[in-house]
Amino acid sequence: MKLEADAKMNFGRDLVFETYRDRLPELCPYLPDIKAITVQERSDEGSTTKILNLWEASTEIPAIAEKIIKPEMLAWLDHATWDADARTVDWRIETKMFTENVKCWGKNTVREDGDGCIFEIRGELEVSLKGIPGVPRFLAGKVAPHVEKFVVQLMTPNLLAVANGVERYLADQADK
């Protein structure tokens, strides 16, 4: 299922691009559902930067799900390849929960827009329910598109919340 969102931002393209790429761990106070972002690996070669970030959610687990979902499962690895010349990032998310069942990848672009910029988020999400406890095999293929739609509806506001966090962070930095 396609994942698409655009965030209009009131800061320049270069500043927004560099903040997303280089300052994500500093954004945590501006992200309501994120406990931590930790850089696991980083390599810079010319205009290409590869970063592996560990994201940890701070979302409460409903009591009914506590036996299945552990807090450490609410984390994911963000594999990102940043192209400073094109102001793009190719990304792939690796979940800690149901890793083999969830595939999510995409490409984001920061493009100029007047005095500000547009942060374009484009991705794909594939969910397979095969082998998931409690999901009958004969229903897995029929239910998966509904799960994908639900997950995309949850992810989209969170992706836009990161853009909002970048804006608030940059506004605070400008005030200092």
Side-chain angles (χ1 to χ4, degrees), residues 20-89:
Y20 263 101
R21 185 189 62 197
D22 301 331
R23 304 269 180 235
L24 271 178
E26 297 171 39
L27 297 178
C28 288
Y30 301 89
L31 306 176
D33 294 329
I34 301 299
K35 177 173 57 174
I37 303 170
T38 308
V39 177
Q40 304 287 294
E41 298 173 13
R42 180 181 174 129
S43 66
D44 296 285
E45 190 172 311
S47 65
T48 301
T49 301
K50 293 184 179 184
I51 302 175
L52 176 63
N53 285 319
L54 173 64
W55 291 63
E56 297 174 72
S58 61
T59 305
E60 292 291 320
I61 300 169
I64 195 166
E66 285 179 336
K67 292 184 180 183
I68 300 168
I69 301 172
K70 305 297 178 209
E72 61 272 11
M73 297 170 119
L74 298 177
W76 58 96
L77 291 170
D78 172 16
H79 301 260
T81 302
W82 296 84
D83 180 340
D85 292 335
R87 300 302 188 270
T88 61
V89 56

